[in-house]
Amino acid sequence: WQQPEGLGYQDILYHQAEGIAKLTINRPEVRNAFRPETVRELIDAFHRAHHDPAIGVIILTGAGELAFCSGGDQRIRGEGGYRDNSGAEHLNVLDLQRQIRTLPKPVVAMVAGYAIGGGHVLHLVCDLTIAAENARFGQTGPKVGSFDAGFGAGLMARNVGIKKAKEIWFLCRQYDAHEALAMGLVNAVVPLGELEAVTLEWCRQMLRHSPTALRVLKAAFNADTDGLAGIQELAGNATGLYYQTPEAQEGRNAYLEKRPPDFSRFPRRA
Ligand code: 2NE
C-alpha cells in the first residue's frame, strides 16, 4: 500500500494500490467510534477516491482486529448531535452514508470485529461486505437513546426483511458473522487472517470489469430505495452517456455555431 503525503488526517488512514483505495477508521481505543472530525475526514477521503481516475474500487475498514466501527463516539454526544472541537453538534455521518451510496464506484466494507450502531449502518450502506469470522453485527440505538430511521431502518429491511430488521432494532442483539451471512447482511465470511487478501481479490475482480457497467448498476440498485434522488443518479448516467454521442454533440455544436440543429441523420431507433 502507498500512503499519499500531505493529507493531514488525524482519525483515518488513506492507502492506495492497484486501483484500490483503502480508508481506515483509526480510533481503535474506542473500537473505531467516529466523531464529527472522523466523519469529515472520511467524506474528504471518499471525495478524493471518487475523483481519482486511478481508483476503481474503495475499501472501508477499521483499524485493528477488534472493530470495524462502534458508531458515534458517546463521550462527545451532546444534546443535538456529536460535538466537534469547536463545540458545534453534528450528525454528519448521514452525509457520509449518502456519499457512499451515490459515489459511482463500488465500496466494500471489510469487517473484523464489531460493526455496531452507526458503525453497523456504515457497513450496510457499502455495496458489499466481507466479514471476518470474528465479526459481530448489531444495533444499539434503543439501548443508548438513538436510532437511525433512514438507511439504518429502510435499507436494512430491504437487506434482511422487515421482521428481521425489526428484531435487530427492537431487541438490540448481536449477531455473529455466520448469522449475518445467513440473513443476507454480508456477502462472505472468511478467516480473520485472510480478510484483506480475500477483500483485495474481490476488488481486483471488479477492477477487471467495465467501470461504466458497475457505475450504472450501482445507481440502478439504489434507484428505487432513494426515490427521485436515486432516479436522478441513474438518469445522470444516461445523460453522461448521451453527451458522448454525435447526436447530443450536434445540439451543442449547433448552439455554439449559432445555427439550427440538424438531427435528421440520427435514426429514431425502434
Ligand atoms: C462495540 C462494543 C460492543 C465493544 O465491546 P468490547 O467489550 O469489545 O469493548 P469495550 O470495553 O466496551 O470498549 C472498549 C473501549 O471503547 C469504548 C469503551 O467505552 C471502552 O473504553 P474504556 O472503558 O476502555 O475507556 N467505546 C466503545 N464504543 C464506543 C463508542 N461508540 N463511543 C465511545 N466509546 C466507545 C461496545 O464497546 C459497545 O457496545 N459500544 C457502544 C456502541 C454504541 O452504542 N454506539 C453508538 C450507537 S448510536 C450511533 O452510532 C448513531 C446513531 O444511532 C444515529 C446517528 C449517528 C450515530
Side-chain angles (χ1 to χ4, degrees), residues 29-31 33-34 70-75 82 91 93 114 116-118 140 144 146-148 174:
E29 68 283 3
V30 285
R31 301 292 187 262
F34 53 77
S70 64
D73 188 329
Q74 299 305 297
R75 298 170 309 175
Y82 294 85
L91 278 171
V93 74
Y114 290 102
I116 294 285
T140 63
V144 300
S146 182
F147 55 80
D148 182 335
Q174 290 180 4

Side-chain angles (χ1 to χ4, degrees), residues 1-2 13-24 45-61 99-100 103-110 126-130 187 196-215 218:
W1 291 106
Q2 294 176 330
L13 304 171
Y14 188 104
H15 292 97
Q16 61 187 45
E18 300 177 42
I20 303 165
K22 183 173 73 164
L23 281 52
T24 306
F46 272 108
H47 184 80
R48 178 186 176 86
H50 172 177
H51 291 280
D52 182 344
I55 298 298
V57 182
I58 303 164
I59 297 171
L60 177 62
T61 193
Q99 182 189 24
I100 291 171
L103 72 85
K105 297 174 180 178
V107 180
V108 184
M110 182 168 84
C126 291
D127 298 301
L128 301 170
T129 298
I130 313 289
N187 296 90
E196 181 153 309
V198 173
T199 306
L200 287 176
E201 193 38 52
W202 283 52
C203 292
R204 288 189 192 109
Q205 191 165 350
M206 289 187 280
L207 285 170
R208 289 193 287 270
H209 296 160
S210 156
T212 305
L214 297 183
R215 176 189 180 109
K218 174 164 176 170

Side-chain angles (χ1 to χ4, degrees), residues 25-120:
I25 303 172
N26 190 24
R27 306 186 76 221
E29 68 283 3
V30 285
R31 301 292 187 262
N32 298 318
F34 53 77
R35 53 181 184 158
E37 289 81 1
T38 321
V39 173
R40 218 174 278 148
E41 291 179 7
L42 283 170
I43 288 172
D44 186 82
F46 272 108
H47 184 80
R48 178 186 176 86
H50 172 177
H51 291 280
D52 182 344
I55 298 298
V57 182
I58 303 164
I59 297 171
L60 177 62
T61 193
E65 299 178 348
L66 298 181
F68 170 76
C69 176
S70 64
D73 188 329
Q74 299 305 297
R75 298 170 309 175
I76 46 96
R77 186 170 144 191
E79 312 298 309
Y82 294 85
R83 270 192 309 273
D84 68 15
N85 286 334
S86 77
E89 293 181 349
H90 304 263
L91 278 171
N92 56 349
V93 74
L94 304 181
D95 299 330
L96 174 63
Q97 293 172 3
R98 284 197 302 275
Q99 182 189 24
I100 291 171
R101 281 176 66 77
T102 55
L103 72 85
K105 297 174 180 178
V107 180
V108 184
M110 182 168 84
V111 178
Y114 290 102
I116 294 285
H120 186 257

